[in-house]
Amino acid sequence: MTIPTIPGSSSYLDIHPERKISMFKNPYILGLTYVASIGGLLFGYDTGVISGALLYIKDDFPAVGQSHFLQETIVSMAVAGAILGAGIGGWINDRFGRKKATIIADVFFLLGAIVMAAAPDPYVLITGRVFVGFGVGVASVTAPVYIAELSPSEIRGALVATNVLMITGGVFVSYLVNLGFAHVPGTWRWMLGVSGVPAVVQFFLMLLLPESPRWLYINRRENDAVIVLGKIYGFDRLEDEVALLTTQSEQDRRKRDDVRFWHVFKSKEIRLAFLAGAGLQAFQQFIGINTVMYYSPTIVQMAGFHSNELALQLSLIVAGLNAAGTVLGIYLIDHAGRKKLALYSLGGIIASLIILSVSFFNQSSATTTTNQSDFYGWLAVAGLALYMAFFSPGMGPVPWTVNSEIYPQEYRGMCGGMSATVNWVSNLIVVQSFLSIADAAGTGPTFLLLAIIAVVAFLFVVFFVPETKGLTFDEVELLWRERAWGKNLDTKTLLEHGSQSS
């Protein structure tokens, strides 16, 4: 069957406007998206909940309260588990499918919640954090892929963005839960253990949902895939979608067999693309986002607000700004552009980190009066809020969006996975070192160091990250060819360069 235009493209929908699918007029698609996005909710919840729980863990386990290293380990072992989960998660997705990968993640979420809630000592608690982190890593790979592969192309961005919203929403919910259990006996055990509930809900709902049609096709289960697609598309468009998917799946099978890890970086274009993508992922972490997300209540207490409950209330505002800013970023990223949005975001981040640094320098001064101390304490809280207001619309979504666009199709999963690993490893380095550096050098100098890193990130974006707004994948490939070899349109294609290099 001949397809004159690609289904879901603007030209296709111009010819067949009646085949366009609206996001809110297809309850089946929305149901699939919301269930899959529970993984994002758990991702955000288990990432954010430890910030408040840590205040009470220190009270129950004196060894934790006396050791910044133990505090950092409790936080960072979830990240270590996520590195492992993200690394193995790609293989689990390809080998067993997106549905089973989600179910496996739920098992680890539930197991980790039970172990943490029942932990008799900090070391068992750390083990539970590793289990939860593994679930987070698998979910971070699986949920966006599952949603994207089930989504009509014209609403794919909005549906995948639902998972991003659920992540930030999960962080916000974790702060609400922390506040709700602040006066309940068991405090942190409830905070950490309640995450098992949505894991159980998603586990059973996923048993009722289908596998991704693309995975089914690649694994030669065409009939099952057509049944799923028939619930998404009308008959006329279904024919075109099935024809396109059949062609793409045959190509994907061949590429899957041909791609070799050691061939990837022999291409100059891919090296440049990976530098931009992995660099963005690293800077996203090294400018301090997870010091804010994981340690915001602790930072608030450092600023002079010693009540655990007040620290949680103020941190809730920070988490709310994160969720609201993500909504704004989803709109701006296709209007302002990726590069411009990242630069504006980094400019605001630099200013807010300087405010935090100044407030802590003055807050710790021996000559500061009580009124001045209160002022600089509130200035620190304002700096935290300003940081999140600038980070969440820009440096939050931009690195993930850019990494989904800048690699050629046959290397996109591999390079994207390696960039995600860079993100998690950078995350681990930051959360494992922040409190120790702040203790050794002071909180003010630590935030000043983050501001300097943000300046370097700004320059990195200016010189190494291209604007990919509105470009097709072919145009992005040409962009990297021109950067690598100059504007000589006679240069060979990316794949030809790669084959010559091998």
Side-chain angles (χ1 to χ4, degrees), residues 44-297:
Y45 184 89
D46 283 309
T47 299
V49 70
I50 195 63
S51 62
L54 190 61
L55 301 176
Y56 300 94
I57 292 170
K58 290 188 291 186
D59 293 337
D60 279 5
F61 297 139
V64 176
Q66 296 166 10
S67 171
H68 281 161
F69 176 78
L70 266 180
Q71 293 174 43
E72 290 167 344
T73 302
I74 289 170
V75 172
S76 63
M77 281 303 100
V79 183
I83 293 171
L84 181 63
I88 298 177
W91 175 81
I92 294 174
N93 271 267
D94 289 339
R95 180 67 179 83
F96 300 106
R98 289 63 163 122
K99 177 177 177 177
K100 288 182 181 178
T102 302
I103 291 172
I104 290 170
D106 287 330
V107 171
F108 278 91
F109 278 127
L110 179 59
L111 180 61
I114 293 171
V115 171
M116 289 187 299
D121 58 59
Y123 305 101
V124 175
L125 176 61
I126 289 168
T127 302
R129 289 286 290 168
V130 173
F131 289 152
V132 162
F134 187 88
V136 167
V138 175
S140 70
V141 174
T142 306
V145 173
Y146 181 77
I147 295 170
E149 291 184 346
L150 281 161
S151 302
S153 56
E154 62 267 33
I155 56 173
R156 182 173 296 141
L159 292 175
V160 173
T162 302
N163 188 62
V164 179
L165 281 176
M166 290 289 271
I167 294 172
T168 56
V171 175
F172 183 75
V173 169
S174 74
Y175 281 37
L176 284 176
V177 170
N178 284 346
L179 195 58
F181 284 112
H183 298 293
V184 175
T187 51
W188 63 269
R189 297 184 185 275
W190 285 104
M191 294 172 182
L192 299 177
V194 76
S195 65
V197 176
V200 171
V201 172
Q202 187 182 45
F203 179 93
F204 285 106
L205 288 177
M206 283 303 299
L207 295 176
L208 305 176
L209 296 188
E211 181 52 80
S212 155
R214 178 171 294 276
W215 187 87
L216 291 171
Y217 248 95
I218 291 176
N219 287 274
R220 304 186 186 283
R221 294 170 56 184
E222 292 86 350
N223 291 339
D224 292 337
V226 172
I227 291 173
V228 177
L229 292 171
K231 297 179 180 179
I232 299 172
Y233 302 105
F235 179 75
D236 291 336
R237 182 166 172 183
L238 175 63
E239 285 189 306
D240 291 344
E241 293 283 350
V242 168
L244 177 65
L245 190 55
T246 301
T247 302
Q248 290 178 336
S249 297
E250 288 298 328
Q251 295 172 349
D252 289 343
R253 289 186 193 119
R254 291 194 296 270
K255 290 176 181 178
R256 181 179 60 181
D257 294 336
D258 291 340
V259 171
R260 298 292 184 270
F261 175 83
W262 53 87
H263 287 164
V264 173
F265 292 109
K266 289 186 177 181
S267 166
K268 185 177 180 181
E269 295 95 323
I270 297 181
R271 292 198 300 271
L272 290 174
F274 186 75
L275 172 64
L280 276 173
Q281 295 284 33
F283 279 120
Q284 184 192 64
Q285 298 304 318
F286 284 120
I287 59 177
I289 176 56
N290 281 309
T291 64
V292 174
M293 294 310 303
Y294 295 152
Y295 295 118
S296 55

Side-chain angles (χ1 to χ4, degrees), residues 472-486:
T472 66
F473 289 133
D474 287 340
E475 289 170 331
V476 173
E477 183 176 326
L478 177 61
L479 183 153
W480 289 117
R481 285 170 55 199
E482 291 179 348
R483 285 201 166 202
W485 309 102

Side-chain angles (χ1 to χ4, degrees), residues 54-55 58 68 71-72 291 294-308 310-311 314-315 356 359-365 373-374 376-381 384 433-447:
L54 190 61
L55 301 176
K58 290 188 291 186
H68 281 161
Q71 293 174 43
E72 290 167 344
T291 64
Y294 295 152
Y295 295 118
S296 55
T298 303
I299 293 170
V300 168
Q301 288 190 332
M302 287 179 178
F305 301 95
H306 299 294
S307 164
N308 285 356
L310 178 59
L314 293 173
S315 299
L356 281 165
S359 65
F360 279 104
F361 268 120
N362 286 275
Q363 225 276 338
S364 62
S365 173
S373 180
D374 290 343
Y376 287 115
W378 282 109
L379 185 63
V381 173
L384 284 176
S433 61
F434 173 73
L435 289 182
S436 295
I437 294 174
D439 186 49
T443 310
T446 302
F447 279 114

